[in-house]
Amino acid sequence: MTGPLAAARPYVLLSCATSIDGYIDDATDERLMLSNDADLDRVDEVRAGCDAILVGAGTVRRDDPRLLVRCERRQAERVARGLPASPIRVTLTGCGDLGPDAQLFTVGDTERIVYSSSGAVEKTRHRLGELASVVDAGDPVDLARILADLAGRGVGRLLVEGGAGVHGQFLAAGLADELHLVVAPFFVGDRRAPRFVGEGRFPWHPGRRAKVVQARQIGDVVLIRYALSERCDLA
Ligand SMILES: NC(=O)c1ccc[n+]([C@@H]2O[C@H](COP(=O)([O-])OP(=O)(O)OC[C@H]3O[C@@H](n4cnc5c(N)ncnc54)[C@H](OP(=O)(O)O)[C@@H]3O)[C@@H](O)[C@H]2O)c1
């Protein structure tokens, strides 16, 4: 990256899959598969091109993701470029309720960072021990502070994979440069299930429309890529 903005915060790419009616999960205990294999492979490539991947603690508890690059060829290409096989894995918590047995902390050996509200730092460090670097992110947690800290650690490109609370905050704060939205060909139709984002005041509204830079069919899903800032390298 170049330019004065580059050092201030990483380029932020949001990635999400929804149903036709905008849900990102259902209300059952099972994990809902919205993407298909080809799209998951695309996401893997996007992951491989980033320096860090962030999800909220809600997603860690609900989905138990590993947040690793799956493809061995992509891992090897990263290593050949002097990078770790997978990007840094990042989560954020207000209450510190993260279990050390989550796959994020038990699988893979790439760096893990947990941004915690000031009040929960001690609890989070106690729970996670050496499994992650626990960083005080203020009270309330400040996304801009997190991004500045990540930039200071050399993160130039951050992939934010959800969930609803985290995506909503990045969008409402105007801290997103690009959005990859995948629409799966079915409805959830259950208001107990989470939607892509909840209520909020967003920088994009009927009077300020976001720019579509790509719409692509991938098997039975559709990927729509939106440019959300002038930094979007696709715009
Ligand atoms: N379809 C998709 O692409 C996709 C992708 C990812 C997730 N999901 C779904 O999204 C749902 C989870 O979404 P969610 O909204 O419940 O959870 P989330 O956004 O993953 O995480 C929310 C949690 O993150 C922490 N957090 C977020 N912002 C914070 C802030 N400013 N200050 C302090 N803490 C903060 C809090 O953790 P604490 O509670 O620990 O304080 C909060 O409860 C799941 O159903 C999951 O399956 C779908």
Side-chain angles (χ1 to χ4, degrees):
M1 288 192 313
T2 56
L5 269 176
R9 69 163 174 84
Y11 185 89
V12 177
L13 196 169
L14 270 48
S15 175
C16 187
T18 76
S19 61
I20 292 174
D21 49 348
Y23 289 97
I24 58 168
D25 197 359
D26 61 20
T28 71
D29 289 337
E30 304 300 315
R31 187 170 183 178
L32 178 67
M33 282 308 296
L34 289 145
S35 277
N36 56 35
D37 287 348
D39 185 57
L40 289 173
D41 188 58
R42 176 196 62 82
V43 173
D44 197 57
E45 187 165 12
V46 174
R47 280 184 178 182
C50 290
D51 303 305
I53 308 172
L54 181 150
V55 296
T59 295
V60 175
R61 290 189 289 263
R62 161 82 179 157
D63 293 349
D64 196 16
R66 296 181 307 159
L67 302 182
L68 296 168
V69 172
R70 296 190 180 98
C71 168
E72 289 182 7
R73 173 183 54 79
R74 291 180 187 128
Q75 291 178 11
E77 284 171 0
R78 284 181 54 93
V79 171
R81 285 168 30 224
L83 300 170
S86 286
I88 299 170
R89 293 173 285 174
V90 183
T91 189
L92 68 158
T93 180
C95 71
D97 194 5
L98 284 166
D101 52 349
Q103 292 197 87
L104 176 64
F105 303 117
T106 56
V107 180
D109 55 5
T110 52
E111 188 179 350
R112 308 168 183 97
I113 303 173
V114 177
Y115 289 100
S116 167
S117 66
S118 303
V121 165
E122 203 173 318
K123 171 184 171 183
T124 311
R125 286 199 179 126
H126 180 71
R127 294 199 72 165
L128 298 178
E130 299 294 311
L131 295 173
S133 303
V134 178
V135 178
D136 187 338
D139 236 339
V141 165
D142 180 355
L143 289 188
R145 178 169 165 172
I146 290 174
L147 292 178
D149 186 79
L150 287 170
R153 293 167 189 265
V155 172
R157 196 171 172 90
L158 173 69
L159 176 63
V160 179
E161 293 200 10
V166 163
H167 274 152
Q169 290 177 64
F170 273 92
L171 288 164
L175 291 172
D177 298 297
E178 183 177 340
L179 168 64
H180 293 183
L181 189 67
V182 164
V183 182
F186 58 82
F187 294 79
V188 169
D190 183 344
R191 66 180 174 184
R192 295 170 302 168
R195 287 185 182 270
F196 170 38
V197 290
E199 290 179 20
R201 289 173 64 88
F202 300 102
W204 306 275
H205 46 71
R208 183 174 179 238
R209 297 158 79 104
K211 179 178 172 186
V212 176
V213 290
Q214 187 186 30
R216 176 158 64 102
Q217 184 171 349
I218 304 172
D220 65 353
V221 304
V222 175
L223 163 69
I224 309 163
R225 301 173 78 165
Y226 294 93
L228 301 182
S229 83
E230 292 176 357
R231 288 178 78 186
C232 178
D233 46 19
L234 298 165

Coordinates of all heavy atoms in Angstrom, one line a residue, residues 15-19 23-26 31-32 34-35 55-63 91-98 115-117 138 140-143 146 161-169 193-196, ligand 1:
S15 N -16.5 -9.7 4.3 CA -17.0 -10.9 3.6 C -18.1 -11.5 4.3 O -18.1 -11.8 5.5 CB -15.8 -11.9 3.4 OG -16.3 -13.1 2.8
C16 N -19.2 -11.8 3.5 CA -20.4 -12.3 4.2 C -21.2 -13.1 3.2 O -21.3 -12.8 2.0 CB -21.3 -11.2 4.7 SG -22.6 -11.7 5.7
A17 N -21.9 -14.2 3.7 CA -22.8 -14.9 2.8 C -24.2 -14.8 3.5 O -24.4 -14.9 4.7 CB -22.4 -16.4 2.8
T18 N -25.2 -14.6 2.6 CA -26.6 -14.4 3.2 C -27.5 -15.3 2.3 O -27.2 -15.7 1.2 CB -27.1 -13.0 3.1 OG1 -27.5 -12.7 1.7 CG2 -26.1 -12.0 3.6
S19 N -28.7 -15.5 2.9 CA -29.8 -16.1 2.2 C -30.4 -15.0 1.3 O -30.1 -13.8 1.4 CB -30.9 -16.7 3.1 OG -31.4 -15.6 3.9
Y23 N -30.5 -13.3 5.6 CA -30.1 -13.9 6.9 C -28.7 -14.5 6.7 O -28.4 -15.1 5.6 CB -31.1 -15.1 7.3 CG -32.4 -14.5 7.8 CD1 -33.5 -14.5 6.9 CD2 -32.5 -14.1 9.1 CE1 -34.7 -14.0 7.4 CE2 -33.8 -13.6 9.6 CZ -34.8 -13.5 8.7 OH -36.0 -13.1 9.1
I24 N -27.9 -14.5 7.8 CA -26.5 -15.0 7.7 C -26.4 -16.4 8.5 O -25.3 -17.0 8.6 CB -25.5 -14.1 8.3 CG1 -25.8 -13.7 9.7 CG2 -25.5 -12.8 7.4 CD1 -24.7 -13.0 10.4
D25 N -27.5 -16.8 9.0 CA -27.6 -18.1 9.8 C -29.0 -18.4 10.0 O -29.9 -17.6 9.6 CB -26.9 -17.9 11.1 CG -26.5 -19.2 11.8 OD1 -26.7 -20.3 11.2 OD2 -25.9 -19.1 12.9
D26 N -29.3 -19.6 10.5 CA -30.7 -19.9 10.9 C -30.8 -19.9 12.4 O -29.8 -19.5 13.1 CB -31.2 -21.2 10.3 CG -30.4 -22.4 10.7 OD1 -29.7 -22.3 11.7 OD2 -30.5 -23.4 10.0
R31 N -24.9 -25.5 12.1 CA -24.3 -24.5 11.3 C -24.9 -24.5 9.9 O -25.0 -25.5 9.3 CB -22.8 -24.7 11.2 CG -22.1 -23.5 10.5 CD -20.6 -23.7 10.6 NE -19.9 -22.5 10.0 CZ -18.6 -22.4 10.0 NH1 -17.8 -23.3 10.6 NH2 -18.0 -21.3 9.5
L32 N -25.4 -23.3 9.5 CA -26.1 -23.2 8.2 C -25.1 -23.0 7.1 O -24.3 -22.1 7.1 CB -27.1 -22.0 8.2 CG -27.8 -21.8 6.9 CD1 -28.8 -22.9 6.6 CD2 -28.6 -20.5 7.0
L34 N -24.3 -21.7 3.7 CA -24.9 -20.7 2.7 C -24.1 -20.8 1.4 O -24.6 -20.8 0.3 CB -24.9 -19.3 3.3 CG -25.9 -19.1 4.4 CD1 -25.4 -18.1 5.4 CD2 -27.2 -18.5 3.8
S35 N -22.7 -20.9 1.6 CA -21.9 -21.0 0.4 C -21.8 -22.4 -0.2 O -22.3 -23.3 0.4 CB -20.4 -20.6 0.8 OG -20.3 -19.2 0.8
V55 N -12.9 -12.1 13.3 CA -14.3 -12.3 13.5 C -14.6 -11.9 14.9 O -13.8 -11.8 15.8 CB -14.7 -13.8 13.3 CG1 -14.5 -14.3 11.9 CG2 -14.0 -14.7 14.3
G56 N -15.9 -11.7 15.2 CA -16.3 -11.3 16.6 C -16.4 -12.6 17.5 O -16.4 -13.7 17.0
A57 N -16.4 -12.4 18.8 CA -16.4 -13.5 19.7 C -17.7 -14.3 19.5 O -17.7 -15.5 19.8 CB -16.3 -13.0 21.1
G58 N -18.8 -13.6 19.1 CA -20.0 -14.4 18.9 C -19.9 -15.5 17.8 O -20.4 -16.6 18.0
T59 N -19.1 -15.2 16.8 CA -18.9 -16.1 15.7 C -17.9 -17.2 16.2 O -18.1 -18.4 15.9 CB -18.3 -15.4 14.5 OG1 -19.3 -14.5 14.0 CG2 -17.9 -16.4 13.4
V60 N -17.0 -16.9 17.0 CA -16.1 -17.9 17.6 C -16.9 -18.9 18.4 O -16.8 -20.1 18.3 CB -15.0 -17.3 18.5 CG1 -14.2 -18.3 19.2 CG2 -14.1 -16.4 17.7
R61 N -17.8 -18.4 19.2 CA -18.7 -19.2 20.1 C -19.7 -20.1 19.3 O -19.9 -21.2 19.6 CB -19.4 -18.4 21.2 CG -18.5 -17.8 22.2 CD -19.3 -17.2 23.4 NE -19.9 -16.0 23.0 CZ -19.4 -14.7 23.2 NH1 -18.3 -14.6 23.8 NH2 -20.1 -13.7 22.8
R62 N -20.2 -19.4 18.3 CA -21.3 -20.1 17.5 C -20.8 -21.0 16.4 O -21.3 -22.2 16.3 CB -22.2 -19.0 16.9 CG -23.1 -19.4 15.7 CD -24.4 -20.0 16.2 NE -25.2 -20.4 15.0 CZ -26.1 -21.3 15.0 NH1 -26.4 -21.9 16.1 NH2 -26.8 -21.6 14.0
D63 N -19.8 -20.6 15.7 CA -19.3 -21.4 14.5 C -18.0 -22.1 14.8 O -17.7 -23.0 14.0 CB -19.1 -20.4 13.3 CG -20.4 -19.8 12.8 OD1 -21.5 -20.3 13.2 OD2 -20.3 -18.9 12.0
T91 N -9.7 -11.8 17.1 CA -11.1 -11.7 17.5 C -11.3 -10.6 18.5 O -10.2 -10.0 19.0 CB -11.7 -13.0 18.1 OG1 -13.1 -12.9 18.3 CG2 -11.0 -13.4 19.4
L92 N -12.5 -10.1 18.8 CA -12.7 -9.1 19.8 C -13.8 -9.5 20.7 O -14.8 -10.1 20.3 CB -12.9 -7.7 19.2 CG -14.1 -7.4 18.4 CD1 -14.4 -5.9 18.4 CD2 -14.0 -7.9 17.0
T93 N -13.6 -9.1 22.0 CA -14.6 -9.4 23.0 C -14.8 -8.3 24.0 O -13.9 -7.5 24.2 CB -14.2 -10.7 23.7 OG1 -15.1 -11.0 24.7 CG2 -12.8 -10.5 24.4
G94 N -16.0 -8.2 24.4 CA -16.3 -7.2 25.5 C -16.3 -7.8 26.8 O -15.8 -7.2 27.8
C95 N -16.8 -9.0 26.9 CA -16.9 -9.7 28.2 C -15.8 -10.7 28.5 O -15.7 -11.2 29.6 CB -18.3 -10.3 28.3 SG -18.5 -11.8 27.3
G96 N -15.0 -11.1 27.5 CA -13.9 -12.0 27.7 C -14.4 -13.5 27.8 O -13.6 -14.3 28.2
D97 N -15.6 -13.7 27.3 CA -16.1 -15.1 27.4 C -15.7 -15.9 26.2 O -16.5 -16.2 25.3 CB -17.7 -15.0 27.5 CG -18.3 -16.3 27.9 OD1 -17.5 -17.2 28.3 OD2 -19.5 -16.4 27.9
L98 N -14.4 -16.2 26.2 CA -13.8 -17.0 25.1 C -13.2 -18.3 25.7 O -12.4 -18.2 26.6 CB -12.8 -16.2 24.3 CG -13.3 -15.1 23.4 CD1 -12.2 -14.2 23.0 CD2 -13.9 -15.7 22.1
Y115 N -8.6 -8.8 20.9 CA -8.8 -7.4 21.4 C -9.9 -7.4 22.4 O -11.0 -7.9 22.1 CB -9.1 -6.5 20.3 CG -7.9 -6.2 19.4 CD1 -7.7 -6.9 18.2 CD2 -6.9 -5.3 19.8 CE1 -6.6 -6.7 17.4 CE2 -5.8 -5.1 19.0 CZ -5.6 -5.8 17.8 OH -4.5 -5.6 17.1
S116 N -9.6 -7.0 23.6 CA -10.6 -7.1 24.7 C -10.9 -5.7 25.3 O -10.0 -4.8 25.3 CB -10.0 -8.0 25.8 OG -10.7 -7.9 27.0
S117 N -12.1 -5.5 25.7 CA -12.4 -4.3 26.5 C -11.5 -4.2 27.7 O -11.1 -5.3 28.2 CB -13.9 -4.3 26.9 OG -14.1 -5.3 27.9
G138 N -9.6 -0.7 24.9 CA -10.4 0.4 25.4 C -11.7 0.0 26.0 O -12.1 -1.1 26.0
P140 N -15.5 1.9 25.9 CA -15.8 0.8 25.0 C -14.7 0.5 24.0 O -13.9 1.4 23.7 CB -17.1 1.2 24.3 CG -17.1 2.7 24.3 CD -16.4 3.1 25.5
V141 N -14.8 -0.7 23.5 CA -13.8 -1.1 22.5 C -13.9 -0.2 21.3 O -15.0 0.1 20.9 CB -14.0 -2.6 22.1 CG1 -13.3 -2.9 20.8 CG2 -13.6 -3.5 23.2
D142 N -12.7 0.3 20.8 CA -12.7 1.2 19.8 C -12.1 0.6 18.5 O -10.9 0.2 18.5 CB -11.8 2.4 20.2 CG -11.7 3.5 19.2 OD1 -12.2 3.3 18.1 OD2 -11.0 4.5 19.5
L143 N -12.9 0.5 17.5 CA -12.5 -0.2 16.2 C -11.3 0.5 15.6 O -10.4 -0.2 15.1 CB -13.6 -0.3 15.2 CG -14.7 -1.3 15.5 CD1 -15.7 -1.4 14.3 CD2 -14.2 -2.7 15.9
I146 N -8.2 -0.5 17.3 CA -7.8 -1.9 16.9 C -7.1 -1.8 15.5 O -6.1 -2.5 15.3 CB -9.1 -2.8 16.8 CG1 -9.6 -3.1 18.2 CG2 -8.8 -4.1 16.1 CD1 -10.9 -3.9 18.3
E161 N -14.7 -11.3 8.6 CA -15.6 -12.4 8.2 C -16.9 -12.4 9.0 O -17.7 -13.4 8.9 CB -14.9 -13.8 8.2 CG -13.8 -13.9 7.2 CD -13.4 -15.3 6.9 OE1 -14.2 -16.3 7.3 OE2 -12.4 -15.5 6.2
G162 N -17.1 -11.5 9.9 CA -18.4 -11.4 10.6 C -18.2 -11.5 12.1 O -17.1 -11.3 12.6
G163 N -19.3 -11.7 12.8 CA -20.6 -11.9 12.3 C -21.4 -10.6 12.2 O -20.8 -9.5 11.9
A164 N -22.7 -10.6 12.5 CA -23.5 -9.5 12.3 C -23.1 -8.2 13.1 O -23.0 -7.1 12.5 CB -25.0 -9.9 12.7
G165 N -22.8 -8.4 14.3 CA -22.4 -7.3 15.2 C -21.2 -6.6 14.7 O -21.1 -5.4 14.6
V166 N -20.2 -7.4 14.3 CA -18.9 -6.9 13.9 C -19.1 -6.2 12.5 O -18.6 -5.1 12.3 CB -17.8 -8.0 13.9 CG1 -16.6 -7.6 13.0 CG2 -17.4 -8.3 15.3
H167 N -19.7 -6.9 11.6 CA -19.9 -6.2 10.3 C -20.6 -4.9 10.4 O -20.3 -3.9 9.8 CB -20.7 -7.2 9.3 CG -19.8 -8.2 8.6 ND1 -20.3 -9.4 8.2 CD2 -18.5 -8.1 8.2 CE1 -19.3 -10.1 7.6 NE2 -18.2 -9.3 7.6
G168 N -21.7 -4.9 11.2 CA -22.5 -3.7 11.4 C -21.7 -2.5 11.9 O -21.8 -1.4 11.4
Q169 N -20.8 -2.8 12.8 CA -19.9 -1.8 13.4 C -18.9 -1.2 12.4 O -18.7 0.0 12.3 CB -19.2 -2.3 14.6 CG -20.1 -2.5 15.8 CD -19.4 -3.1 17.0 OE1 -18.5 -2.4 17.5 NE2 -19.7 -4.3 17.4
A193 N -33.4 -15.7 13.6 CA -32.1 -15.8 13.0 C -31.5 -14.5 12.8 O -32.1 -13.5 12.6 CB -32.2 -16.6 11.7
P194 N -30.1 -14.4 12.8 CA -29.4 -13.2 12.6 C -29.4 -12.8 11.1 O -29.3 -13.6 10.2 CB -28.0 -13.4 13.1 CG -27.8 -14.9 12.9 CD -29.1 -15.5 13.1
R195 N -29.5 -11.5 10.9 CA -29.4 -10.9 9.5 C -28.0 -10.4 9.3 O -27.2 -10.2 10.3 CB -30.4 -9.8 9.3 CG -31.8 -10.3 9.2 CD -32.8 -9.2 8.8 NE -34.2 -9.6 8.7 CZ -34.7 -10.0 7.6 NH1 -34.0 -10.0 6.5 NH2 -36.0 -10.4 7.6
F196 N -27.7 -10.0 8.1 CA -26.3 -9.5 7.8 C -26.0 -8.4 8.7 O -24.9 -8.4 9.4 CB -26.3 -9.0 6.3 CG -25.1 -8.3 5.9 CD1 -23.9 -8.6 6.3 CD2 -25.2 -7.2 5.0 CE1 -22.7 -7.9 5.9 CE2 -24.1 -6.5 4.6 CZ -22.9 -6.9 5.1
Ligands
LIG1 N1 -23.0 -16.0 6.8 C1 -21.8 -15.5 7.2 O1 -21.0 -15.1 6.3 C2 -21.4 -15.4 8.6 C3 -20.1 -15.2 8.9 C4 -19.7 -15.1 10.3 C5 -20.7 -15.3 11.2 N2 -22.0 -15.6 10.9 C6 -23.0 -15.7 11.9 O2 -23.1 -14.6 12.7 C7 -23.6 -14.9 13.9 C8 -22.8 -14.3 15.0 O3 -23.0 -12.9 14.9 P1 -23.0 -12.0 16.2 O4 -23.4 -10.6 15.8 O5 -23.8 -12.7 17.2 O6 -21.5 -12.1 16.7 P2 -20.2 -11.4 16.2 O7 -20.4 -10.2 15.4 O8 -19.4 -12.5 15.6 O9 -19.5 -11.1 17.6 C9 -20.1 -10.2 18.5 C10 -19.3 -10.2 19.7 O10 -18.0 -9.7 19.4 C11 -17.6 -8.8 20.5 N3 -17.7 -7.5 20.1 C12 -18.1 -7.0 18.9 N4 -17.9 -5.7 18.8 C13 -17.5 -5.3 20.0 C14 -17.2 -4.1 20.6 N5 -17.3 -2.9 19.9 N6 -16.8 -4.0 21.8 C15 -16.6 -5.1 22.5 N7 -16.9 -6.4 22.1 C16 -17.3 -6.4 20.8 C17 -18.6 -9.1 21.6 O11 -18.2 -10.2 22.3 P3 -18.5 -10.7 23.8 O12 -19.9 -11.2 23.7 O13 -17.5 -11.8 24.1 O14 -18.4 -9.5 24.7 C18 -19.9 -9.4 20.8 O15 -20.9 -10.1 21.6 C19 -23.6 -16.4 14.0 O16 -24.9 -16.9 13.8 C20 -22.7 -16.8 12.9 O17 -23.1 -18.1 12.3 C21 -22.3 -15.7 9.6

